[in-house]
Each structure stands twice: as C-alpha cells, then as structure tokens.
Amino acid sequence: MKTIDELLAEGVSGKRVFVRADLNVPLDGTSITDDGRIRAVVPTVKALADAGARVVVASHLGRPKGAPDPAFSLAPAAARLGELLGAPVAFATDTVGESATATVAALTDGGVAVIENLRFNAGETSKDDAERGAFADRLAALADLYVGDGFGAVHRKHASVFDLPARLPHAAGYLIATEVGVLKKLTDDVRRPYAVVLGGAKVSDKLGVIDHLLEKADRILIGGGMAYTFLKAQGHEVGISLLQEDQVPVVQEYLKRADARGVEFVLPVDVLVSPEFPDLKTKAPAHPTTVAADAIPADQEGLDIGPETRKLYASKLADAATVFWNGPMGVFEHPDFAEGTKAVAQALVDSPAFTVVGGGDSAAAVRILGFDENAFGHISTGGGASLEYLEGKTLPGLAALED
C-alpha cells in the first residue's frame, strides 16, 4: 500500500485530503476522558497540513442510530484536535450536507476541518452496498485524495473505510503503517518466548484469536470475566461470576489442543470475590474477599485476579521476548478490583520483551492507572482490529488501501 510519505512526495499543496481517523474517544458529557486516539492521528494531520493540504478529518463516535444525536457529536474531539495541533480546526455540523460543503470550501492551504460523526448518516454502516456506495460518493465529493488512518475501524466494512478509498487516490497514514508493522511482529517474525495475556468480559469475543494463537504463542494467560468460563471448563464452581456456559465445551477443546501442542495455558489460582458488582460511580468500598480459584462461594462473584495470581502472571511474563495483552484482569474502573490489571501492566513495564497493549479497555486502563505510555513497546488504538488481524482475517479497511 502507498504510504503517506509517498503521497507527500507527489505533492498535496492545495489539495483536499480526506483523512479517515478514529476519534472515537470516551466522553463524560462533553468532556473527553481519554484523548489517546486523537493524539494518535496528529502526526498524519500535521504532516499534511504542513505540506499545504486542505485536511478534512472524519470519524465515527459511539453507536448512534444513523441519525444526528448530540450525545455523540464530534465537536469535543474537534476542539481537542485543535489544541493538540496548536492551530484552529473548523467544525462542520453535518457529514455531507450544507455545513460540510461550506466548511471544506472555506479551507485554505494548511487548514484543517472536522466533519460531524459519520454514523449520523445511515449509509456509513449500511450492509447494502448501494446505500453505502451512495454515501461514499457524497464523501468523495469533499476531497481529492484519501488517507486511511483510523486503525480502530479498519475491521469494519463501512463507507468511509472500505468504499471511499476505491473512489479516490489513497494512501495509509502514519498510524496505520505503525499498527500494521507492530502486528506483523506478532504474527510473521515473532521473538520467543511469545506470551499472550487475554482478559475482558466474554470468552466468545476472544475465541477466534485463541484458536489462531494456539498455533503461534508459547504461553497464554487468562484473566477478566472470561476466566470463569475457563475455570468452569476445569470443573470448578464459579458462583455468580460471569459465565458463558455454552462456550464451556469449546474452551475444554482448546485446553486439550494447547496441552497437545505444548502451549502453556495459565489460569488464575486465586480471585477477589464480592456478593455484588461494585458501584462504579461512587467507587464505594466493596470489601472483597480473596479465595482460591477452585473455591469460589456459590453466592459470590469473581471480579479480579488475586495476589498469588498476580505474582504468577508476573513470573510468566518475566522471561518472555514478546508479549501481547488485550483485556483487563478485573473491574479495573473500581479501585478495589484494579490491582490485577495494574500488576499485568507493571509486569509489561518491567519486562525486556517487545510489549504490545492491544487497544480498547487495556489501553484505557494503562492511562487511567497512571502508567507512562512510553514504557510499553506499542499501545494499539484498535482492540477489535488488532484481534481480527491476529485471527488471520482480512480487514476491509486495510484491503481497501492496497493498490
């Protein structure tokens, strides 16, 4: 795929460049609680603006129902992008309507504009090729060139990700080039031992990547809500913990395959339990109890890995040469259940390995828990995209950038 440097070498001054970014940031009202994804696209936007392009930045945010919804406006993200660029950023209050057309037309060389949430138009996410294509045609009218830099969306067959690059000369931005380069180190040229840490709520979300990693990884550590399906598969009582009963047979088969292939599966040996889910708004003390992983009371819910598991996991990561981590170890948003996730993050910081934090909640946790992002080899901006790449799937947004 063509790189942005090649595009810049050809000359972009005076040209309208549509940058498909990922500005899907978490909001508390209109306040951004984690601006990592906005910061990630700044190098691409700045390089284009500095070269005299008229930059049109577009993204989705949240899951509006194909119509305008003020709760999902990109206005806060546009304002933050301007702060990071140190330059004014214009904002269009629609996607392809009068405001977008006028805002783009008013751009001068080196100017930047953000158009409103792409998902305010049903054509962005439509499964109908014609409807999606019609929206892509209207987006294409706003630009002369296309730069794909929204890695967090490349696994989606959406108009701005898949259909629009076919309508304009296109290139990959710096973020996508970096993300793909990192993921190749996790698939094609892996330094061993290769350890993978998987957490999060549902084991079903990770089945595809586990299946693929059984052929790649040396060691797989399991935490988060998905751990309880693994513990159940081993015949243990899991109380009222999150459980996907229908996935138990699949997990049992994976454990057998791992054993046959010599892949080490590492499961919690102790967990923090509570009779009820903690209040994440008030952060009121939950007073958890630590129990052995095979002794969870029937009326208790596992909400984090325990202290012995934290030590175990740190030891399993200490000698790794490559580590990929996706998914928190517990309900890290509450201080009583954050220590497991914090311990894994610290183990990655302490490790000499090439460490990759696989986006989503893991990336958010690293920032929320106060870790220096530069202490990790790479923090991905796309959790779902990273997982699908590691599954060996073809990602529509990457395929669209290939010539």
Side-chain angles (χ1 to χ4, degrees):
M1 63 179 69
K2 179 183 282 187
T3 67
I4 186 173
D5 285 332
E6 291 173 312
L7 192 70
L8 291 168
E10 294 171 358
V12 296
S13 182
K15 294 183 178 179
R16 300 168 302 163
V17 182
F18 189 103
V19 177
R20 195 354 173 143
D22 180 8
L23 308 180
N24 185 27
V25 292
L27 295 173
D28 182 2
T30 58
S31 298
I32 297 169
T33 58
D34 179 1
D35 68 354
R37 284 176 169 167
I38 303 175
R39 285 185 284 113
V41 78
V42 165
T44 289
V45 173
K46 189 175 188 307
L48 289 166
D50 287 349
R54 303 178 182 193
V55 187
V56 182
V57 181
S59 176
H60 69 287
L61 191 152
R63 296 184 178 181
K65 306 298 182 182
D69 183 339
F72 298 106
S73 174
L74 276 174
R80 181 58 180 149
L81 179 61
E83 292 172 357
L84 292 167
L85 289 170
V89 169
F91 182 66
T93 56
D94 57 26
T95 55
V96 289
E98 292 181 4
S99 179
T101 301
T103 301
V104 173
L107 284 174
T108 56
D109 292 0
V112 179
V114 173
I115 62 174
E116 186 55 286
N117 192 336
L118 292 164
R119 291 185 183 175
F120 285 1
N121 189 304
E124 169 68 1
T125 59
S126 176
K127 296 188 184 303
D128 181 84
D129 291 348
E131 183 180 12
R132 219 175 47 247
F135 183 51
D137 287 338
R138 297 184 70 186
L139 290 173
L142 298 173
D144 306 303
L145 303 168
Y146 176 94
V147 172
D149 214 31
F151 180 74
V154 294
H155 58 315
R156 306 295 187 191
K157 193 177 181 181
H158 291 170
S160 65
V161 176
F162 178 74
D163 302 273
L164 184 55
R167 289 158 167 78
L168 294 170
H170 50 265
Y174 291 125
L175 175 61
I176 279 186
T178 297
E179 295 274 13
V180 171
V182 166
L183 288 169
K184 284 182 177 178
K185 292 183 180 180
L186 300 177
T187 53
D188 300 336
D189 186 23
V190 183
R191 292 168 50 213
R192 299 186 179 279
Y194 178 17
V196 176
V197 187
L198 296 176
K202 296 181 178 179
V203 69
S204 57
D205 293 342
K206 305 289 198 302
L207 288 178
V209 75
I210 293 172
D211 182 59
H212 205 68
L213 286 171
L214 285 172
E215 309 296 321
K216 301 276 187 181
D218 300 300
R219 198 175 294 154
I220 301 176
L221 288 62
I222 302 292
M226 62 185 287
Y228 302 101
T229 300
F230 276 85
L231 292 172
K232 185 71 172 180
Q234 290 186 324
H236 302 313
E237 167 68 55
V238 296
I240 57 173
S241 304
L242 188 62
L243 172 66
Q244 289 187 280
E245 191 84 49
D246 61 324
Q247 301 298 336
V248 168
V250 180
V251 168
Q252 289 173 329
E253 180 60 30
Y254 282 176
L255 291 171
K256 289 178 183 176
R257 280 178 55 197
D259 187 56
R261 292 190 60 82
V263 177
E264 185 181 7
F265 252 107
V266 190
L267 301 179
V269 294
D270 62 346
V271 298
L272 268 60
V273 298
S274 174
E276 58 187 9
F277 198 83
D279 189 324
L280 300 183
K281 288 186 177 181
T282 66
K283 304 291 197 296
H287 307 295
T289 305
T290 301
V291 299
D294 60 357
I296 299 174
D299 62 346
Q300 301 276 310
E301 179 177 9
L303 295 167
D304 194 13
I305 58 174
E308 292 305 314
T309 304
R310 291 174 221 150
K311 294 176 188 175
L312 172 65
Y313 285 15
S315 71
K316 295 295 182 180
L317 297 174
D319 67 341
T322 303
V323 180
F324 173 73
W325 171 33
N326 180 279
M329 297 292 99
V331 187
F332 73 92
E333 301 91 339
H334 192 286
D336 287 349
F337 303 103
E339 292 303 316
T341 302
K342 192 180 295 184
V344 167
Q346 187 62 54
L348 265 65
V349 169
D350 294 340
S351 172
F354 175 61
T355 57
V356 179
V357 181
D361 285 342
S362 310
V366 163
R367 298 184 184 107
I368 289 170
L369 296 174
F371 286 90
D372 179 359
E373 294 178 47
N374 296 320
F376 302 88
H378 179 69
I379 298 179
S380 178
T381 57
S386 295
L387 290 176
E388 291 199 16
Y389 189 100
L390 292 180
E391 286 180 44
K393 290 183 177 180
T394 296
L395 305 188
L398 296 184
L401 294 176
E402 298 288 352
D403 292 321

